[in-house]
Amino acid sequence: MARASQTEVAVLGGLSVQPMTGYALREAIRDVLGHFWSESYGQIYPTLANLERQGFVRRQDAARTGASTFAITPSGTRRLEELLAQPVQAAPPRNGLLLRLYFGRHLGPAACRTLVQAALAEAQDALKRYAEIRAEIEGQDSEDRDYWLLTVSAGEHSARAAQAWAHDALSTLAELDDPARTRPGRTS
Amino acid sequence: MARASQTEVAVLGGLSVQPMTGYALREAIRDVLGHFWSESYGQIYPTLANLERQGFVRRQDAARTGASTFAITPSGTRRLEELLAQPVQAAPPRNGLLLRLYFGRHLGPAACRTLVQAALAEAQDALKRYAEIRAEIEGQDSEDRDYWLLTVSAGEHSARAAQAWAHDALSTLAELDDPARTRPGRTS
DNA sequence: GTCATCATGTAAACCGTTACATGATTGT
DNA sequence: ACAATCATGTAACGGTTTACATGATGAC
């Protein structure tokens, strides 16, 4: 019962949508879950091997050539349900941008603005990507559709919040950089 | 030049506010940076030892009893500025809640709602804490004040976004759970 | 035939947490 | 005296990324 990493959830979940090779699984995770999840080969292949040993996935088309497609088994589906029901374990927060801004006095307002501008650009990129993903999901008629849209919506809310915050932060930093511009009385 | 972890930023930054013991530093990071950063003893003590070897911090009051207070040195301040200027390295995303919701069909709408409700409660707690922190920071007159408020503002935006999303998500999930309630035509 | 991509896997390194061992200080 | 908290450190463990080695397949 030791192995209960969230990687198993991602792997079994991915295979629950459709059978795939390890390589395709990684691509799918990057492209589809990319805005809230990531896995590397170093995680995926050993996890697949474990899951196979336990009978939760099975290897099809193991032709003489390396490539083999993995499919989830009925017991694997049960295992997935079990893992999904486990409590979400919150990762300790680590936000490099906020860490820098907190000590921003040592960095100066101008450099801070550059950092925030980068964050703003990122948020705007993200919003564009979400619009595309949303359109794509809304187009199809899967049972999963509404659940998938839930995660897109989370991304959208979060990106809009980042955008709004960045605007606020930029005007605060502009004042710190040049108080004269907003307090015309003090030209000293 | 190998050691350039962000832990050094947190440690040097903390000591730039005031000299502290390793223990106090950890408490300060938990209490003050807690909503966007975390460090454990296993990181802090070795990092302090490294920084001391490099002359970026020095140990005062190394009385015969174990406890010693660390202070940042002038070269440590320069080092901090250098580290702050380095590009923010984005951590790979890992959101356990969204991972579960994406595969929510296997979990069922009711269990998903429980998850989202927990997230909503968390966001509301966070907003309360931010209000307190904000009041406290606004009360003082430090040079750092405006930078510190920037990070609080980021937390507030993010928590409000989480709150709004959770509300949306809960009504979506309610429909999935019992379509009759919102589509009275189909009682089948 | 050769280049890009698909595909599998492993080893080393890194980062970080947890748990433990240990002991001083302070309040009751 | 004893309990709680302050304080320092380390060892073990676990999870994750990166880089590497290797080779098949398909397009041009």
Side-chain angles (χ1 to χ4, degrees):
Chain A
M1 281 292 117
R3 337 231 83 271
S5 94
Q6 307 201 83
T7 296
E8 291 196 5
V9 179
V11 168
L12 286 174
L15 295 182
S16 84
V17 176
Q18 61 169 305
M20 269 180 275
T21 65
Y23 183 89
L25 192 52
R26 201 260 173 150
E27 298 240 299
I29 290 172
R30 175 164 46 71
D31 296 344
V32 181
L33 314 184
H35 54 103
F36 60 84
W37 204 257
S38 78
E39 294 292 349
S40 61
Y41 290 131
Q43 295 277 99
I44 287 176
Y45 284 112
T47 299
L48 279 171
N50 273 336
L51 290 172
E52 190 186 21
R53 247 192 317 100
Q54 297 172 275
F56 297 140
V57 306
R58 73 172 187 287
R59 208 179 280 250
Q60 328 175 298
D61 311 331
R64 61 211 173 315
T65 157
S68 49
T69 298
F70 291 87
I72 194 168
T73 63
S75 79
T77 302
R78 262 177 280 125
R79 174 65 170 163
L80 173 59
E81 286 158 10
E82 201 180 298
L83 289 174
L84 286 172
Q86 283 182 12
V88 177
Q89 62 214 72
R94 239 128 197 279
N95 185 324
L97 172 61
L98 293 187
L99 182 64
R100 278 164 180 76
L101 288 182
Y102 192 89
F103 300 115
R105 179 168 57 84
H106 296 282
L107 198 53
C112 287
R113 253 162 52 198
T114 307
L115 288 178
V116 175
Q117 257 149 9
L120 175 57
E122 234 175 85
Q124 275 157 350
D125 279 7
L127 281 172
K128 260 181 230 152
R129 263 179 294 116
Y130 290 138
E132 288 166 17
I133 298 176
R134 171 175 284 281
E136 199 185 330
I137 296 178
E138 279 174 345
Q140 58 199 79
D141 189 33
S142 158
E143 265 191 279
D144 290 303
R145 217 189 73 134
D146 291 330
Y147 293 101
W148 296 353
L149 287 176
L150 242 42
T151 69
V152 177
S153 167
E156 288 167 340
H157 273 94
S158 158
R160 280 195 299 262
Q163 206 179 20
W165 167 77
H167 279 128
D168 287 5
L170 285 174
S171 46
T172 301
L173 288 168
E175 281 181 47
L176 282 174
D177 209 7
D178 181 6
R181 213 172 282 160
T182 50
R183 297 185 184 178
R186 299 184 58 231
T187 347
S188 135
Chain B
M1 283 292 115
R3 335 233 85 267
S5 93
Q6 306 201 84
T7 296
E8 291 197 6
V9 178
V11 168
L12 286 174
L15 295 183
S16 84
V17 177
Q18 60 169 306
M20 269 179 276
T21 65
Y23 183 89
L25 192 53
R26 201 260 173 150
E27 297 239 299
I29 289 172
R30 175 163 47 69
D31 296 343
V32 181
L33 314 184
H35 53 103
F36 60 85
W37 204 257
S38 78
E39 294 292 348
S40 62
Y41 291 132
Q43 295 277 99
I44 286 176
Y45 284 114
T47 299
L48 278 171
N50 273 334
L51 290 172
E52 189 186 20
R53 248 193 317 98
Q54 297 171 275
F56 296 140
V57 306
R58 74 170 188 287
R59 207 179 281 248
Q60 326 174 298
D61 309 331
R64 62 212 174 315
T65 157
S68 49
T69 298
F70 291 88
I72 194 168
T73 64
S75 80
T77 302
R78 263 177 279 124
R79 174 66 169 161
L80 174 58
E81 285 159 11
E82 200 179 298
L83 289 175
L84 285 172
Q86 282 182 13
V88 178
Q89 60 213 72
R94 236 126 200 280
N95 185 323
L97 171 61
L98 293 186
L99 182 65
R100 278 164 181 77
L101 288 180
Y102 192 89
F103 300 115
R105 179 168 58 82
H106 297 282
L107 198 53
C112 287
R113 253 162 52 199
T114 306
L115 288 179
V116 175
Q117 257 148 9
L120 176 57
E122 235 176 85
Q124 275 156 350
D125 279 7
L127 281 173
K128 258 180 234 154
R129 263 179 294 116
Y130 290 138
E132 288 165 16
I133 298 176
R134 171 175 284 283
E136 199 184 331
I137 296 178
E138 279 174 345
Q140 59 199 81
D141 189 33
S142 156
E143 266 192 280
D144 290 303
R145 216 188 75 134
D146 291 331
Y147 292 101
W148 294 353
L149 286 175
L150 242 42
T151 69
V152 176
S153 166
E156 287 166 340
H157 272 94
S158 159
R160 280 196 298 263
Q163 205 179 20
W165 166 77
H167 278 128
D168 287 5
L170 285 174
S171 47
T172 302
L173 287 168
E175 282 181 47
L176 283 173
D177 209 7
D178 181 6
R181 213 171 283 160
T182 51
R183 297 186 184 178
R186 299 184 58 231
T187 347
S188 136

